[in-house]
């Protein structure tokens, strides 16, 4: 393994740095975006039951805000529980944008690594090939076997770039999909809480359903 790294030359250094950075981001996002950490089980149901009693303690709301992204979203609705339904929806959407941004933290960096890995690998290969042809120009072709071995070593950077990029791209796509699932679930819980805070007639709810639903930033569509 060490011989392959040496064979790739100095362009292997940024590739190894990118691989370490990608691994660190993947591990951190896996831990942060655990479903239990984002959408604690039964949290929405507990908050709705608590809100239905009408006895809302500000300290309890602050505690709810610190539990998880879903808790922060529901706490934002409770902060403005006495305002009209549309204002509650607007507060949820505003807070939701910040929460989605927080969940997408480092994903742009991971996507950049996925795109830059193959390019850096190709750059390393081109550098190796240029060096090889300069040697041929000075000393001739020489041993064909050595020439073939030199070409193989030059391609090490390209292979390394792909090894770095493929897992980073797969992780980037997977995290995006997971966040989209969380957004849908959080919207559902937010709407259910709004219904508890502002009970209305069936006609009013049907009219609201005909309009745009609560949407958090980052959701496709």
């Amino acid at each position: 393994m060490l011989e392959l790294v040496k064979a790739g030359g100095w362009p292997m250094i940024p590739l190894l740095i990118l691989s370490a950075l990608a691994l660190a981001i993947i591990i951190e996002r896996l831990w942060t975006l655990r479903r239990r950490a984002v959408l604690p089980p039964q949290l929405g149901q507990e908050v709705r039951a608590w809100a239905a009693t009408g006895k809302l303690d500000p300290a309890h709301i602050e505690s709810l805000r610190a539990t998880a992204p879903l808790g922060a979203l529901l706490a934002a609705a409770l902060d403005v529980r006495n305002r009209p339904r549309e204002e509650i929806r607007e507060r949820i959407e505003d807070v939701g944008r910040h929460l989605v941004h927080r969940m997408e933290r480092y994903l742009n960096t991971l996507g950049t690594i996925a795109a830059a890995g193959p390019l850096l690998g190709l750059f390393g290969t081109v550098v190796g090939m240029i060096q090889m042809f300069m040697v041929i120009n000075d000393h001739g072709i020489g041993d064909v076997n050595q020439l073939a071995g030199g070409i193989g070593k030059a391609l090490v950077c390209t292979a390394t770039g792909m090894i770095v990029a493929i897992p980073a791209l797969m992780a980037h796509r997977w995290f995006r999909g997971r966040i989209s699932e969380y957004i849908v679930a959080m919207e559902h819980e937010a709407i259910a809480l709004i219904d508890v805070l502002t009970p209305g007639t069936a006609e009013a709810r049907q009219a609201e359903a005909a309009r745009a639903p609560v949407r958090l930033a980052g959701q496709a569509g």
Side-chain angles (χ1 to χ4, degrees):
M1 183 65 182
L2 183 59
E3 294 179 357
L4 291 176
V5 173
K6 292 180 179 179
W10 65 264
M12 290 289 289
I13 297 176
L15 285 172
L16 293 176
I17 293 175
L18 288 183
S19 65
L21 181 59
L23 180 60
I25 292 175
I26 291 172
I27 292 175
E28 190 275 338
R29 289 292 89 187
L30 281 174
W31 178 259
T32 302
L33 296 178
R34 291 170 297 140
R35 188 173 187 85
R36 181 176 293 273
V38 178
L39 302 172
Q42 306 300 322
L43 178 61
Q45 182 177 353
E46 292 176 2
V47 173
R48 289 193 297 273
W50 178 43
T53 64
K55 299 178 181 179
L56 301 174
D57 183 5
H60 197 172
I61 294 177
E62 290 302 317
S63 176
L64 173 65
R65 198 188 316 276
T67 57
L70 175 60
L73 190 69
L74 300 181
L78 295 177
D79 287 337
V80 292
R81 58 189 177 275
N82 295 323
R83 298 183 184 179
R85 189 180 185 92
E86 285 302 321
E87 292 189 18
I88 299 177
R89 288 165 57 89
E90 290 176 2
R91 174 62 66 87
I92 289 175
E93 291 173 354
D94 289 340
V95 174
R97 281 191 288 271
H98 294 285
L99 294 175
V100 172
H101 178 73
R102 188 188 307 172
M103 288 190 289
E104 291 180 344
R105 188 181 183 187
Y106 303 132
L107 291 192
N108 284 338
T109 302
L110 191 61
T112 301
I113 292 173
L119 295 177
L120 281 173
L122 181 60
F123 172 74
T125 297
V126 171
V127 170
M129 297 296 289
I130 291 174
Q131 293 174 346
M132 185 180 305
F133 281 112
M134 290 179 64
V135 172
I136 292 175
N137 185 54
D138 293 337
H139 303 92
I141 295 178
D143 190 352
V144 177
N145 292 331
Q146 291 183 354
L147 179 61
I151 295 173
K153 290 181 179 179
L155 293 175
V156 168
C157 286
T158 299
T160 304
M162 292 181 179
I163 291 173
V164 172
I166 292 174
L169 178 60
M170 294 176 63
H172 180 267
R173 296 287 187 181
W174 186 81
F175 285 133
R176 288 285 187 184
R178 194 170 185 83
I179 291 172
S180 296
E181 293 178 3
Y182 289 160
I183 290 173
V184 172
M186 290 169 69
E187 288 177 354
H188 175 77
E189 294 292 346
I191 292 172
L193 180 59
I194 291 176
D195 290 340
V196 172
L197 294 175
T198 58
T201 63
E203 291 78 5
R205 295 188 182 184
Q206 290 176 359
E208 182 180 9
R211 298 193 297 270
V214 175
R215 299 187 65 84
L216 308 184
Q219 183 179 1

